[in-house]
Every structure is written in structure tokens, then in C-alpha cells.
Amino acid sequence: MKILVTGGLGFIGSHTVVELQQEGFEVIIVDNLSNSSIDVLQGIQSITGKEPIFENIDLRNKVEVQAFFKKHTDLSNVIHFAASKAVGESVEKPLDYYENNISSLVYLLQELQNKPEANFIFSSSCTVYGQAEKMPIDENSPIQPAVSPYGNTKQMGEEIITDTAKVTNMSAILLRYFNPVGAHSSNAIGELPLGVPQNLVPFITQTGIGLRKELSVYGADYDTADGTCIRDYIHVVDLAKAHVVALKRLIDKKNKDKVEVFNLGSGVGSSVLEVIQAFEKVSDQKLAYKIVDRREGDITRAYANTDKANKVLGWKTELSLEDAMASAWKWEQKIRK
Ligand code: NAD
């Protein structure tokens, strides 16, 4: 069975392509390489022995999207990762984010809307919950007003998909990721941030290897055990596997609603200092870091209640934060060579 994976050369997409191929699916990747490298194809192939079909298409180009679906008339299963994801940049360039994350989604859905049957998996984010009142956060936690255009594109994306599913033959699963980290155990694919990393783990590994002087820890006066913010770090391979399970659920028509929502996290909250300690342990070195003032917009804690994904999808995480840090460190050492 053929699956379209948009953004399939990116961090989470590439790991998902591997899992899909290993489960026997035929994968077609669409990516415009705006935040990824063509070398990732080679990395995927070295793990699975199969080169996925790749088309360099910018999903903001409606004509190209239409032509793609005319060529691949049998494509009705889509996992949609392609998006811009830097929260800070989205504040500076809101229209770029609305164009990339919303127009692309609309063009894809327009191609699926008249199919006799279609399945759609969407990369959403725990950012939709904002600072939730109750921890751990379950799927019924209220959606909070978005604090960034990026976050808004995820909320709007969920609504656009839900509205579309209501009036078409398309079913969808919205996956709300917590904080994906780590790399594949083969060390053939991993995260490839362009420029200064926005996320904690690549910043830690780049500091560990000497590319950055030191890590700034934004605030140690939060109401947490060690004063630093708490997040839920999920190994990217565990996350990738959840996509395969979710897709199979739709293909096998096991879904209970046209649109279902699942949190994907480890269910464990880890503080910034605990992540640093995990890195220091697996790399056997001290990390250069300093505590600085709080950063605007950071929430104190967010970690997932994963009961729904565990029970309904029958999925659970298998890898720990230490596994993730060890794989991320191995990957950093490889790419710096
Ligand atoms: P990524 O940047 O590594 O991957 C996204 C891929 O999409 C890249 O390869 C990029 O080149 C491609 N792309 C972007 N715009 C495109 C376009 N117009 N046409 C074709 N290709 C395009 O990001 P990721 O970390 O793998 O994230 C994947 C998805 O998960 C995104 O939707 C992101 O918002 C979401 N998400 C990520 C995180 C995270 O922390 N990484 C957390 C929550 C949600």
C-alpha cells in the first residue's frame, strides 16, 4: 500500500518513513528540502534497503500539488509532516508560517476531498494546550489561545482537518507531539537543525561537541523541584512507530470517529537540569551551561497523559530519555566528522 509522507526527509518524517518501509508500506516522500538534506534518502535506504520514491515539490505551489496527485491517482493515505516549526521565527514572520503551514494543508486536503476514501495523519503539537491546569495533560484538556503564529497554525490545522472530515470520505488522526528527541539506533538518520538550534537537545549536543560555547538555561526559579522547566521528551523512534499504528487504525477502519486525537509523549516530565544530567551521564563529560533569566512565553511544565494512546492505539514508548540522549550524542559526533 502506498503512503504519501510530506516532509519525509525531515527529522520526524525520516524516522517514520523507516518504520513504514519496515512494515511493508511503499512510501512516496514529498519535500522541498527547505529544512532537510537530500542525503537523508541515502540514510533511509541504508537502514531499510529500500529507496523511497522522492519528489521535490513545494506544497505551497497549488499547481504542483495538483499535478502530483494527477500522476499518483492511487494515493489516498497521507502523513503530513511538512511545515515550518520555529516558534520564535513564526512571531517575526507570521505570514510565512500561515502560508506554509495552512496553504499547504488546504491544497493537500483539496486533492483528497473527492476520493472515495482517504486517510490523513496530522502532526499537531502539545502547544495547543498552553499551560494546562492539570498535569499530566490528557486530550480533554482545553485548547488555550495560541501564543505564537506557529501554535496557531497547529490549532487551525486541526480545525481545518476536522471541518473537512465532516463533509468528505476522509478520516483523520491528529497526533499531538510533546518533545521529540534522539536519533535512529543505526546512526544513519537524526536531527539536522539549520543554524542555531531552537530545541534543547540539539543545543546540548552542539555545546557538548564544542560548536556552542555554553547552554543558557532560561530560569531556575520556576515552581519545580530544581527550579527549571519541565517537559515531556519522547524518543523520535517511539514517536515514528505511533504513526504507523495510527495509519493502520485508519486503513483497517478501526477508528471510532472521523477525527481522533492522541497525545504522543513519554508520560514523564523531565526538568532542563535532568536532561543535562542525562547528557552528562551518557557522554561522560560535563556540559558548559549557565542559568539566565526566564524567557518570555515559556510555560512551567507540560507532560502527557498517554493513557488514550496506550489503550486505544495499543502503543507505548519503549525508549528512555537516556536512550534518546545517547543516540542524539552519537549522531552529533557523526555529523560533526
Ligand atoms: P523538520 O523541519 O525536520 O521537517 C519538516 C520537513 O518538511 C522538512 O524536511 C522540510 O524541508 C519540509 N517542508 C517544509 N515546508 C515544506 C513545503 N512547503 N513543501 C514541501 N516540504 C516542506 O520538522 P520535524 O521536527 O520533523 O517536524 C515535523 C512536523 O511535526 C511539523 O509539522 C512540526 O510542526 C511538527 N512538530 C514538531 C515538533 C518538534 O519539536 N520537532 C513538535 C511538535 C510538532
Side-chain angles (χ1 to χ4, degrees):
M1 189 170 275
K2 274 192 198 162
I3 316 296
L4 168 61
V5 180
T6 75
L9 294 184
F11 174 43
I12 308 168
S14 57
H15 288 81
T16 303
V17 169
V18 165
E19 298 302 322
L20 286 167
Q21 287 188 325
Q22 287 177 337
E23 289 289 315
F25 289 103
E26 187 185 337
V27 177
I28 304 188
I29 296 174
V30 161
D31 201 300
N32 68 351
L33 301 173
S34 58
N35 198 33
S36 52
S37 156
I38 191 70
D39 298 342
V40 175
L41 268 184
Q42 187 57 45
I44 292 170
Q45 193 180 359
S46 75
I47 302 170
T48 64
K50 290 177 245 172
E51 184 166 357
I53 302 168
F54 168 64
E55 297 217 19
N56 185 341
I57 289 172
D58 189 331
L59 293 165
R60 289 171 297 188
N61 186 328
K62 185 171 176 162
V63 175
E64 277 188 35
V65 174
Q66 286 172 333
F68 172 83
F69 276 91
K70 275 214 178 79
K71 195 162 110 191
H72 301 280
T73 46
D74 54 344
L75 264 183
S76 55
N77 295 303
V78 180
I79 306 185
H80 181 44
F81 292 105
S84 304
K85 63 167 182 178
V87 175
E89 187 186 52
S90 80
V91 176
E92 313 274 308
K93 301 175 183 167
L95 293 178
D96 287 1
Y97 273 67
Y98 288 117
E99 183 185 26
N100 202 28
N101 297 4
I102 301 297
S103 303
S104 301
L105 172 65
V106 170
Y107 300 156
L108 276 174
L109 295 177
Q110 283 173 333
E111 296 305 313
L112 296 179
Q113 65 180 340
N114 295 320
K115 302 246 180 210
E117 205 181 300
N119 298 313
F120 198 83
I121 310 271
F122 180 62
S123 300
S124 189
S125 165
C126 65
T127 146
V128 301
Y129 299 120
Q131 177 59 80
E133 270 176 29
K134 246 181 42 203
M135 288 297 139
I137 303 170
D138 67 27
E139 289 81 354
N140 294 322
S141 182
I143 303 289
Q144 307 273 3
V147 291
S148 72
Y150 168 75
N152 208 16
T153 66
K154 292 298 169 193
Q155 297 193 3
M156 291 167 71
E158 289 196 357
E159 286 169 11
I160 291 167
I161 292 163
T162 304
D163 290 344
T164 306
K166 271 184 205 153
V167 294
T168 64
N169 294 324
M170 185 185 82
S171 293
I173 292 186
L174 314 174
L175 298 176
R176 293 180 180 154
Y177 312 156
F178 281 67
N179 297 69
V181 291
H184 196 266
S185 58
S186 63
N187 215 22
I189 52 172
E191 197 167 1
L192 285 169
L194 285 180
V196 181
Q198 305 289 314
N199 294 333
L200 177 63
V201 171
F203 206 108
I204 287 179
T205 56
Q206 288 194 6
T207 306
I209 206 123
L211 204 66
R212 314 263 156 223
K213 201 170 131 256
E214 63 186 355
L215 168 80
S216 294
V217 176
Y218 295 105
D221 58 350
Y222 284 93
D223 181 20
T224 61
D226 64 24
T228 63
C229 291
I230 289 177
R231 297 288 179 273
D232 180 330
Y233 298 91
I234 173 170
H235 197 298
V236 66
V237 172
D238 280 330
L239 183 66
K241 286 182 175 163
H243 289 74
V244 181
V245 178
L247 182 72
K248 282 187 179 164
R249 179 174 173 82
L250 292 181
I251 291 172
D252 297 342
K253 301 193 187 322
K254 294 219 170 103
N255 50 315
K256 299 273 178 291
D257 296 302
K258 288 287 301 269
V259 179
E260 294 180 321
V261 183
F262 295 98
N263 282 345
L264 295 180
S266 67
V268 178
S270 304
S271 73
V272 178
L273 293 183
E274 283 169 341
V275 178
I276 293 173
Q277 281 154 17
F279 171 78
E280 290 181 332
K281 185 169 169 203
V282 301
S283 67
D284 200 20
Q285 67 177 55
K286 284 277 162 210
L287 186 80
Y289 72 89
K290 64 173 179 208
I291 310 281
V292 298
D293 287 346
R294 288 183 181 200
R295 189 170 55 174
E296 187 156 337
D298 275 344
I299 54 174
T300 304
R301 55 170 64 75
Y303 55 97
N305 177 328
T306 58
D307 288 353
K308 189 176 173 196
N310 297 160
K311 285 185 195 136
V312 180
L313 291 179
W315 163 90
K316 60 177 177 34
T317 56
E318 288 165 0
L319 298 162
S320 66
L321 177 62
E322 271 187 26
D323 293 328
M325 296 310 288
S327 62
W329 178 230
K330 212 165 115 197
W331 172 247
E332 185 69 57
Q333 289 170 292
K334 176 183 162 176
I335 55 176
R336 292 310 145 202
K337 270 194 193 145

